[in-house]
Amino acid sequence: RAARLALRYAPAFPSHYRATSGPVEAARDIARLQGLSDSADRDARLLNDATAESRLRLKVYNGAGSVPLSDAVPVLENFGFRVIEEIPTALDQGQLGYIHDFLLEFDGAQAADVLMARADTIEKAIAAVLSNRSENDAFNRLIVSAALEPGAVVLFRAWFRYLRQTGLSYGLTTVVDALRRAPVVAGAIIDLFNARHDPARAKNGAQETDAANKALDKGLANVAAADDDRILRLIRGVVSAMLRTNAFSPAAAEALAFKFDSKLVPGLP
């Protein structure tokens, strides 16, 4: 199979790609292109960049047509990256797919090796948004800056929308920034939710709930900004008021559902 792929793809790489990439990198790119399931599917791969500590490279793969910059740049910005440059590569004039090589800049407070340790999670999250399987908004920044899993981001997005219905005046970006600046608190809120509702944790649920609440108390004590403190406590209150959810059942893939004790939800009359 490797020999067959080599014969098919080797002549397809243009000269500018051959000048900057070796056979090992080409093999990795071919593997990613071969892994695409259909014409709407896209993949992504993070690479270290030696030119600066606060930069990474990201390759985006598309089997049918190029990815317009107007599509890709807003997605990457919502993950907290700034696009410095993009080099497109069409294989056999696009007949065998496209590779978009982005140079990205990220928050200097983070280390490239820390992000690369979570590359698989970040890559899959970016690919899901580019393939229109996941939502594109600033909550995705928490996957990079707060080291949250994509599933946790889905929960925070749902709770934010619920709070907006209850009259929350803070906008999406303000809420995301509050969570981003307090990653320990954000993680503890997810721990609290899991401890209270994950059936797999039922045996130790009470102890884990207590531990999560203590971590939240400690983390909130270190939040200096009044607005951030209020936002984080509101989200904690929503999780504490939750009676049950379908988040751990197959039905969650279709739509998330939560049932609350309304008298415990902060801000409700």
Side-chain angles (χ1 to χ4, degrees):
R1 184 171 182 267
R4 186 172 69 252
L5 289 174
L7 286 171
R8 183 185 181 195
Y9 280 92
F13 288 100
S15 57
H16 77 266
Y17 181 97
R18 295 169 183 269
T20 57
S21 303
V24 173
E25 183 64 13
R28 289 171 177 156
D29 289 339
I30 292 170
R32 292 297 182 116
L33 285 166
Q34 281 287 294
L36 298 175
S37 60
D38 55 49
S39 60
D41 196 19
R42 291 166 178 172
D43 199 3
R45 182 163 68 94
L46 277 174
L47 302 88
N48 261 318
D49 182 79
T51 62
E53 292 183 359
S54 60
R55 290 183 175 182
L56 292 171
R57 300 204 77 91
L58 177 79
K59 287 192 173 184
V60 172
Y61 304 89
N62 194 29
S66 61
V67 180
L69 278 175
S70 58
D71 288 352
V73 171
V75 169
L76 297 175
E77 288 179 342
N78 273 333
F79 277 89
F81 296 116
R82 188 163 73 92
V83 177
I84 306 300
E85 68 175 14
E86 183 256 356
I87 302 171
T89 298
L91 278 67
D92 191 16
Q93 299 182 341
Q95 295 301 307
L96 293 179
Y98 285 80
I99 303 169
H100 298 267
D101 189 352
F102 293 92
L103 177 60
L104 305 177
E105 194 168 66
F106 57 90
D107 184 354
Q110 299 171 280
D113 59 343
V114 173
L115 294 182
M116 288 305 299
R118 300 185 63 251
D120 185 61
T121 297
I122 297 171
E123 291 167 359
K124 289 178 179 176
I126 292 173
V129 177
L130 289 171
S131 302
N132 295 316
R133 298 192 306 270
S134 294
E135 294 191 51
N136 178 30
D137 62 29
F139 273 103
N140 292 329
R141 194 165 302 169
L142 300 174
I143 297 171
V144 175
S145 62
L148 292 181
E149 293 296 314
V153 170
V154 171
L155 292 171
F156 278 121
R157 184 181 287 120
W159 298 334
F160 164 73
R161 288 171 176 168
Y162 174 72
L163 281 168
R164 289 287 284 182
Q165 293 178 23
T166 69
L168 178 72
S169 59
Y170 298 107
L172 185 150
T173 302
T174 303
V175 171
V176 169
D177 284 342
L179 291 163
R180 180 179 56 81
R181 285 189 287 261
V184 172
V185 174
I189 290 173
I190 296 299
D191 288 343
L192 177 63
F193 173 77
N194 289 336
R196 286 169 55 89
H197 299 287
D198 185 353
R201 303 191 183 194
K203 184 177 179 180
N204 300 311
Q207 297 94 313
E208 292 187 18
T209 297
D210 185 58
N213 276 315
K214 287 180 179 177
L216 275 167
D217 290 338
K218 184 176 180 180
L220 287 167
N222 295 321
V223 175
D227 283 342
D228 287 6
D229 182 80
R230 174 167 169 73
I231 289 167
L232 296 169
R233 290 182 186 277
L234 282 171
I235 299 173
R236 179 191 188 176
V238 165
V239 174
S240 297
M242 199 177 300
L243 297 174
R244 56 181 178 269
T245 175
N246 71 343
F248 300 96
S249 71
E254 189 71 26
L256 275 173
F258 308 99
K259 182 173 182 179
F260 298 100
D261 183 340
S262 57
K263 68 177 181 294
L264 297 179
V265 175
L268 284 186

